[in-house]
Amino acid sequence: MAGLLLAALILLDLGGPVLAPVTIFGCFVLPGWVLVRRLPDADPVARVVWTVVMSAAIYTIPALIMAWAHIWHPRPVAAAVLVAASALIAVFPPVAGTGRHAIYGHPVNRSRFDWRSVWSLDAFRGRGIAPYVPWAVLGAALVVWGVALSMTGEELVGGRGLLTTFPPIWYLAVAAAVGLCIWAVAARKMASHAFLAASTTGLVAMLYASAPMVVSVPRLPWSYKHIAVTNYIGAAGQVDPSIDIYNRWPGFFSVSAFLGEVVGYRNALDYAALAEFGFALLDVMIILAIARTLTSNPRIYWTATLVFTLTNWVNQNYYSPQAFSYTLYLTMCLIALTFLRSTPVKIAAVVEGRLKGLQGRFHRTTPTATAEIVHSSRALVMPAVAALLLLQAVTVASHQLTPYMVILSLFPLFVFGYFRPKWLGPVLAIMAFAYLLPNLDYVDNKYGLFTGFDFFKNASYTLPEVSHIDDASRWMARTPDGLSLFVGLLGLAGFIRNLLRGNVRQTLIVGWLAVAPMFWLLGQSYGGEAKFRVFMFALPWLAIGAAWLFCSGPVRTRNAVTGTVASLTIMAVLFTIVYFQQEAKFRVPKEDVVAAQWLDARVGEKDVIFETNAFFPLLIGPNYPSYLEWGRVTSLTKFLQRSNGNVLPEDVERYANNNWKPERIFVVFSDSQLEQAIKDKLFDANMLPALERELAAGDKADHVFDNGAVRIYQIKKTL
C-alpha cells in the first residue's frame, strides 16, 4: 500500500522537498527488497547493502535507456517500478528460512547480529550504570562534534586547511569516538553489536561528513563537472556522445538525473554534497558484510571495518562515477563471496597443498584453521549470477576504470574455480570490452589506451613543485604514502599469519583481491593517479589482512592488544592529517559557485571565458556543452606568463581573436584566484589587479557581475 501511495505522489509530482526523504527511502528500498526478501538466511548487514545497491542498479537501467533513446520520463517510469515492486511483494511471500546462514563454511546463528538488538534495552536491564557509560560518552562526543561544526566558519584559518580551522573541541570529539571504537574491539569482552554499529557510524560521520558540513556548497572542484553533466541530462532528457567522455559513460549521471527528477531536486548542486558521507557509510557497511562472510569472529570483522574507516584517505566518496562504481565493485565481491564459492581446479588445489605443507614447517603445533570454502546453495547461484551481470552492466556504462578492476579481481577466481560458474568470469570481461569497442577510437585519440608498460613510472606521482613550500608541508604531503605503506605492511603480515594458521584458501582469495589491482600499473598511469586507485581497490582486503594480524590468534595476549591499539591510533592520526590538510588547495568558495551559475545561464557556444583559477567551477549547469563545443574555458595563466609588464584589455582581446574569434569575451576575477596566484607564484601577482583596474576604469569593458568575491567583465570588441 505504501508503495502504491508513493508511486501516486511521484506520478503527480506531489510532496516536494518536504517528502523528499520519504520518497528517496522508498525508491532505495522497495525494488531491491523484492529480490533480497527471497534470501531469508543471508547476513542481515548484507541484506541492507543489497537492498540499497540493487535498487540503484535497477533504476540505472531504465534511466540509461531513456537517456540513450532521447525519451525522458523519469516520474512515470519510477512510479511503474514502485507499483511492480509492490505487486511482487504482495503476490510472492518471503521464503521461509532456517534462521541460520553460512559464514565461510560455518553455519552461524543469525541472532549473532540481529538488527533488532540495536534497539533492544535488554542489555541494560539489571546491570547497573556500567553499560550506560560508553553510550553516554558517545552521545556527548556527538553533541560536542555538532557544537564544533557550528563554531567552524566557511573561512579557513591558518595554513593547514581544516586542521587549523577546526576548534579544539572537534579533535576532542573525534578522539573520543576513535577511542570508543578501539576500546569496543580491543577490550577483553567486546562491546555489543549495537554499540559497535553506533560508534562506527558516529566515527564515519565525524571523519567523512565534517568537511562538507561546514560549507554551503560542494567543496571539491571535481564535483562540479559531474553536477554539470547530471543537470544537462536532466534538462535535455538525453545524452550526446559528441560532447565528452561523460556522455559516453553516462550511467551514474543518468540515474542521478532520474532520481533527482523523481525526488524533486532537479539541480544536482542541491544534493551532491551528501555523497561524501553517503558513499562512505555504505562502503563501510559493505566491508563489514564482506568480513562477516569470511569469519564468524566478531573481533575480526569489526576490526577490519574500523581499519577501512581509518585508512580510506583517497577521498573517492565525492559526487562522482568513481564513488558509485566502487560501491558496485564491492557489492559484486560480496555477492561472489556469499553465493558463488566453490572448489578450485586441480592445479589450484595442488598449490594449496604445497602451501599447507609450507605452513606445517613453521607450525609445530596443530593450527587452528577455520573451515574452508564450501559450495553455496545451488538454488541461489543463478540469482547471484544475474545480480552480478546487472551490476557489471551498470558499472561498464558508468566508469572507465572500475569494470577492468572487476576483471582483474574476479576473472582469475572464476577461471580457477574458486567461484562458480567458470564461464561468468569471461562474460564479465566480454561485457566491459564490448562497451569499450564503439568508444575505442575516442578514448585512444583523446586520452590514449596505454601510457607505457613501465610499472614503476605508472606508479609514480610527482608532487607539484611550489617554490615557497616549507619543510613541514613537504613532510605532511608524504603522509598519504606513509599511511598507505603502513596499512599495506599490516595487511601483508596478516595474510602471512592467516596462511600459517592453515587458512590457505581463504588467504589466497583475499590476498589475490588485494594484489590484483596492481596489475593495472603495467599499462596505465591513469593521469598520474593510478597508484591512488590501486590502493583504493586493495584497501578492503588489506583491512581484512590487518584484522587477521591483530585478532586471529586463539588467545588475546597483551602484546596483541597493545599492537592493535597503537596501530589503530596511528591510523586515526595519519588519516586526519591526510584528509583535512589539503582543504585550502581544493575548496571551492560559495561566491565562485554563484558566479559560475550566472555565467552558465548566459554564455553561448561562441563566447570565450578567461580565468586564472584552475578550480573555478565554470562547468556547473546544463549549458556546459556550450563551453566544450567552442573549445574550452580558457586560462590566462600561460598568456600572463609570456607577457612582459602589464597586460591591457586590448591585449586580451587580441589574444582571444587570434585564437578563437569569439562573439563575446568575459574575464573573471575572483579573490580565490588572486590568492592562489600569489601562493603558487605562477606569475607576477600584481598583473591581475592591474588588469582588473584597467577594465574597471576604462570604457573597454562592462562590469556585468559582482558579488564581492567575484567580478566579471565583458570586453567590448573593437569593430
PDB file of all heavy atoms in Angstrom, residues 51 163 168 201 260 264 342 386 420 435 447 535 568 581 603 621 629 637 706 719:
ATOM      1  N   THR A  51      19.837  -4.428  -0.673  1.00  0.00           N
ATOM      2  CA  THR A  51      18.578  -3.728  -0.921  1.00  0.00           C
ATOM      3  C   THR A  51      18.832  -2.360  -1.549  1.00  0.00           C
ATOM      4  O   THR A  51      18.212  -1.992  -2.553  1.00  0.00           O
ATOM      5  CB  THR A  51      17.796  -3.562   0.392  1.00  0.00           C
ATOM      6  OG1 THR A  51      17.484  -4.849   0.932  1.00  0.00           O
ATOM      7  CG2 THR A  51      16.508  -2.789   0.162  1.00  0.00           C
ATOM      8  N   LEU A 163      42.731  21.458   9.338  1.00  0.00           N
ATOM      9  CA  LEU A 163      43.468  21.084  10.540  1.00  0.00           C
ATOM     10  C   LEU A 163      43.619  22.260  11.485  1.00  0.00           C
ATOM     11  O   LEU A 163      43.577  22.097  12.715  1.00  0.00           O
ATOM     12  CB  LEU A 163      44.852  20.533  10.178  1.00  0.00           C
ATOM     13  CG  LEU A 163      44.890  19.191   9.446  1.00  0.00           C
ATOM     14  CD1 LEU A 163      46.327  18.819   9.099  1.00  0.00           C
ATOM     15  CD2 LEU A 163      44.251  18.095  10.287  1.00  0.00           C
ATOM     16  N   PRO A 168      39.433  23.238  18.909  1.00  0.00           N
ATOM     17  CA  PRO A 168      39.988  22.102  19.677  1.00  0.00           C
ATOM     18  C   PRO A 168      38.940  21.074  20.089  1.00  0.00           C
ATOM     19  O   PRO A 168      39.259  19.882  20.175  1.00  0.00           O
ATOM     20  CB  PRO A 168      40.612  22.785  20.898  1.00  0.00           C
ATOM     21  CG  PRO A 168      40.938  24.165  20.435  1.00  0.00           C
ATOM     22  CD  PRO A 168      39.861  24.530  19.470  1.00  0.00           C
ATOM     23  N   THR A 201      29.308   4.217  13.095  1.00  0.00           N
ATOM     24  CA  THR A 201      28.555   5.189  12.300  1.00  0.00           C
ATOM     25  C   THR A 201      28.895   6.608  12.715  1.00  0.00           C
ATOM     26  O   THR A 201      29.078   7.502  11.870  1.00  0.00           O
ATOM     27  CB  THR A 201      27.046   4.944  12.454  1.00  0.00           C
ATOM     28  OG1 THR A 201      26.736   3.615  12.038  1.00  0.00           O
ATOM     29  CG2 THR A 201      26.251   5.931  11.611  1.00  0.00           C
ATOM     30  N   GLY A 260      16.837  12.577  -9.208  1.00  0.00           N
ATOM     31  CA  GLY A 260      16.636  13.981  -8.871  1.00  0.00           C
ATOM     32  C   GLY A 260      15.286  14.487  -9.329  1.00  0.00           C
ATOM     33  O   GLY A 260      14.587  15.206  -8.599  1.00  0.00           O
ATOM     34  N   GLY A 264      12.364  15.474  -6.673  1.00  0.00           N
ATOM     35  CA  GLY A 264      12.017  16.886  -6.696  1.00  0.00           C
ATOM     36  C   GLY A 264      13.202  17.818  -6.587  1.00  0.00           C
ATOM     37  O   GLY A 264      13.034  19.028  -6.464  1.00  0.00           O
ATOM     38  N   SER A 342      33.209 -22.035  -4.442  1.00  0.00           N
ATOM     39  CA  SER A 342      33.263 -23.386  -4.986  1.00  0.00           C
ATOM     40  C   SER A 342      34.634 -23.992  -4.711  1.00  0.00           C
ATOM     41  O   SER A 342      35.491 -23.361  -4.082  1.00  0.00           O
ATOM     42  CB  SER A 342      32.976 -23.361  -6.494  1.00  0.00           C
ATOM     43  OG  SER A 342      32.906 -24.660  -7.025  1.00  0.00           O
ATOM     44  N   ALA A 386      22.810 -13.517 -12.001  1.00  0.00           N
ATOM     45  CA  ALA A 386      22.026 -12.444 -12.619  1.00  0.00           C
ATOM     46  C   ALA A 386      22.327 -11.100 -11.960  1.00  0.00           C
ATOM     47  O   ALA A 386      22.435 -10.070 -12.640  1.00  0.00           O
ATOM     48  CB  ALA A 386      20.536 -12.767 -12.510  1.00  0.00           C
ATOM     49  N   ARG A 420      31.998 -19.998  -8.887  1.00  0.00           N
ATOM     50  CA  ARG A 420      31.310 -20.681  -9.977  1.00  0.00           C
ATOM     51  C   ARG A 420      30.142 -19.830 -10.432  1.00  0.00           C
ATOM     52  O   ARG A 420      29.637 -18.990  -9.664  1.00  0.00           O
ATOM     53  CB  ARG A 420      30.834 -22.066  -9.527  1.00  0.00           C
ATOM     54  CG  ARG A 420      29.850 -21.994  -8.343  1.00  0.00           C
ATOM     55  CD  ARG A 420      29.231 -23.320  -8.069  1.00  0.00           C
ATOM     56  NE  ARG A 420      28.402 -23.229  -6.880  1.00  0.00           N
ATOM     57  CZ  ARG A 420      27.538 -24.157  -6.522  1.00  0.00           C
ATOM     58  NH1 ARG A 420      27.368 -25.228  -7.256  1.00  0.00           N
ATOM     59  NH2 ARG A 420      26.832 -24.016  -5.426  1.00  0.00           N
ATOM     60  N   TYR A 435      31.531  -2.869 -24.443  1.00  0.00           N
ATOM     61  CA  TYR A 435      31.132  -1.471 -24.280  1.00  0.00           C
ATOM     62  C   TYR A 435      32.247  -0.525 -24.722  1.00  0.00           C
ATOM     63  O   TYR A 435      31.982   0.564 -25.255  1.00  0.00           O
ATOM     64  CB  TYR A 435      30.764  -1.193 -22.818  1.00  0.00           C
ATOM     65  CG  TYR A 435      30.053   0.119 -22.611  1.00  0.00           C
ATOM     66  CD1 TYR A 435      28.665   0.193 -22.667  1.00  0.00           C
ATOM     67  CD2 TYR A 435      30.759   1.296 -22.390  1.00  0.00           C
ATOM     68  CE1 TYR A 435      28.002   1.395 -22.495  1.00  0.00           C
ATOM     69  CE2 TYR A 435      30.112   2.501 -22.219  1.00  0.00           C
ATOM     70  CZ  TYR A 435      28.732   2.551 -22.269  1.00  0.00           C
ATOM     71  OH  TYR A 435      28.077   3.761 -22.108  1.00  0.00           O
ATOM     72  N   TYR A 447      42.720  10.301 -24.977  1.00  0.00           N
ATOM     73  CA  TYR A 447      43.478  10.045 -23.759  1.00  0.00           C
ATOM     74  C   TYR A 447      44.604   9.025 -23.946  1.00  0.00           C
ATOM     75  O   TYR A 447      45.596   9.063 -23.213  1.00  0.00           O
ATOM     76  CB  TYR A 447      42.542   9.536 -22.645  1.00  0.00           C
ATOM     77  CG  TYR A 447      41.377  10.450 -22.386  1.00  0.00           C
ATOM     78  CD1 TYR A 447      40.121  10.203 -22.946  1.00  0.00           C
ATOM     79  CD2 TYR A 447      41.524  11.576 -21.586  1.00  0.00           C
ATOM     80  CE1 TYR A 447      39.050  11.046 -22.710  1.00  0.00           C
ATOM     81  CE2 TYR A 447      40.459  12.423 -21.344  1.00  0.00           C
ATOM     82  CZ  TYR A 447      39.222  12.154 -21.915  1.00  0.00           C
ATOM     83  OH  TYR A 447      38.167  12.989 -21.686  1.00  0.00           O
ATOM     84  N   PHE A 535      45.570   1.551  -4.590  1.00  0.00           N
ATOM     85  CA  PHE A 535      45.413   1.474  -3.136  1.00  0.00           C
ATOM     86  C   PHE A 535      43.942   1.403  -2.748  1.00  0.00           C
ATOM     87  O   PHE A 535      43.565   0.628  -1.853  1.00  0.00           O
ATOM     88  CB  PHE A 535      46.071   2.679  -2.471  1.00  0.00           C
ATOM     89  CG  PHE A 535      45.822   2.746  -0.982  1.00  0.00           C
ATOM     90  CD1 PHE A 535      46.524   1.927  -0.116  1.00  0.00           C
ATOM     91  CD2 PHE A 535      44.881   3.613  -0.459  1.00  0.00           C
ATOM     92  CE1 PHE A 535      46.290   1.970   1.255  1.00  0.00           C
ATOM     93  CE2 PHE A 535      44.632   3.665   0.906  1.00  0.00           C
ATOM     94  CZ  PHE A 535      45.346   2.850   1.765  1.00  0.00           C
ATOM     95  N   LEU A 568      45.838   1.258  15.407  1.00  0.00           N
ATOM     96  CA  LEU A 568      44.605   1.980  15.086  1.00  0.00           C
ATOM     97  C   LEU A 568      44.733   3.462  15.434  1.00  0.00           C
ATOM     98  O   LEU A 568      44.191   4.326  14.731  1.00  0.00           O
ATOM     99  CB  LEU A 568      43.426   1.352  15.820  1.00  0.00           C
ATOM    100  CG  LEU A 568      43.030  -0.060  15.353  1.00  0.00           C
ATOM    101  CD1 LEU A 568      41.944  -0.639  16.250  1.00  0.00           C
ATOM    102  CD2 LEU A 568      42.550  -0.041  13.907  1.00  0.00           C
ATOM    103  N   GLN A 581      44.191  18.266   5.528  1.00  0.00           N
ATOM    104  CA  GLN A 581      45.214  19.294   5.366  1.00  0.00           C
ATOM    105  C   GLN A 581      45.133  20.009   4.018  1.00  0.00           C
ATOM    106  O   GLN A 581      45.590  21.143   3.891  1.00  0.00           O
ATOM    107  CB  GLN A 581      46.600  18.672   5.539  1.00  0.00           C
ATOM    108  CG  GLN A 581      47.010  17.746   4.394  1.00  0.00           C
ATOM    109  CD  GLN A 581      48.477  17.375   4.434  1.00  0.00           C
ATOM    110  OE1 GLN A 581      49.298  18.200   4.796  1.00  0.00           O
ATOM    111  NE2 GLN A 581      48.796  16.141   4.058  1.00  0.00           N
ATOM    112  N   VAL A 603      26.160  32.412 -21.079  1.00  0.00           N
ATOM    113  CA  VAL A 603      27.220  32.249 -22.072  1.00  0.00           C
ATOM    114  C   VAL A 603      26.753  31.342 -23.203  1.00  0.00           C
ATOM    115  O   VAL A 603      26.106  30.323 -22.984  1.00  0.00           O
ATOM    116  CB  VAL A 603      28.483  31.676 -21.407  1.00  0.00           C
ATOM    117  CG1 VAL A 603      29.536  31.330 -22.451  1.00  0.00           C
ATOM    118  CG2 VAL A 603      29.039  32.679 -20.412  1.00  0.00           C
ATOM    119  N   GLY A 621      26.417  23.813 -14.948  1.00  0.00           N
ATOM    120  CA  GLY A 621      24.998  23.723 -15.257  1.00  0.00           C
ATOM    121  C   GLY A 621      24.709  23.058 -16.589  1.00  0.00           C
ATOM    122  O   GLY A 621      25.614  22.586 -17.285  1.00  0.00           O
ATOM    123  N   GLU A 629      31.859  22.839 -26.811  1.00  0.00           N
ATOM    124  CA  GLU A 629      31.706  22.861 -28.262  1.00  0.00           C
ATOM    125  C   GLU A 629      32.611  23.916 -28.886  1.00  0.00           C
ATOM    126  O   GLU A 629      33.136  23.739 -29.967  1.00  0.00           O
ATOM    127  CB  GLU A 629      30.246  23.135 -28.618  1.00  0.00           C
ATOM    128  CG  GLU A 629      29.315  21.958 -28.324  1.00  0.00           C
ATOM    129  CD  GLU A 629      27.865  22.294 -28.602  1.00  0.00           C
ATOM    130  OE1 GLU A 629      27.626  23.401 -29.144  1.00  0.00           O
ATOM    131  OE2 GLU A 629      26.992  21.491 -28.276  1.00  0.00           O
ATOM    132  N   THR A 637      46.623  32.089 -17.566  1.00  0.00           N
ATOM    133  CA  THR A 637      47.895  31.871 -16.886  1.00  0.00           C
ATOM    134  C   THR A 637      49.075  31.883 -17.855  1.00  0.00           C
ATOM    135  O   THR A 637      50.044  32.629 -17.675  1.00  0.00           O
ATOM    136  CB  THR A 637      47.857  30.538 -16.114  1.00  0.00           C
ATOM    137  OG1 THR A 637      46.817  30.596 -15.141  1.00  0.00           O
ATOM    138  CG2 THR A 637      49.187  30.285 -15.429  1.00  0.00           C
ATOM    139  N   ASP A 706      29.054  41.161 -10.070  1.00  0.00           N
ATOM    140  CA  ASP A 706      29.885  41.412  -8.892  1.00  0.00           C
ATOM    141  C   ASP A 706      29.139  40.918  -7.655  1.00  0.00           C
ATOM    142  O   ASP A 706      28.029  41.361  -7.379  1.00  0.00           O
ATOM    143  CB  ASP A 706      30.187  42.906  -8.762  1.00  0.00           C
ATOM    144  CG  ASP A 706      31.296  43.187  -7.750  1.00  0.00           C
ATOM    145  OD1 ASP A 706      31.475  42.381  -6.817  1.00  0.00           O
ATOM    146  OD2 ASP A 706      31.974  44.224  -7.887  1.00  0.00           O
ATOM    147  N   LEU A 719      35.314  47.187 -33.325  1.00  0.00           N
ATOM    148  CA  LEU A 719      34.631  46.986 -34.614  1.00  0.00           C
ATOM    149  C   LEU A 719      35.609  47.138 -35.778  1.00  0.00           C
ATOM    150  O   LEU A 719      36.565  47.874 -35.711  1.00  0.00           O
ATOM    151  CB  LEU A 719      33.490  47.989 -34.749  1.00  0.00           C
ATOM    152  CG  LEU A 719      32.401  47.873 -33.672  1.00  0.00           C
ATOM    153  CD1 LEU A 719      31.351  48.959 -33.867  1.00  0.00           C
ATOM    154  CD2 LEU A 719      31.740  46.502 -33.742  1.00  0.00           C
TER     155      LEU A 719
END
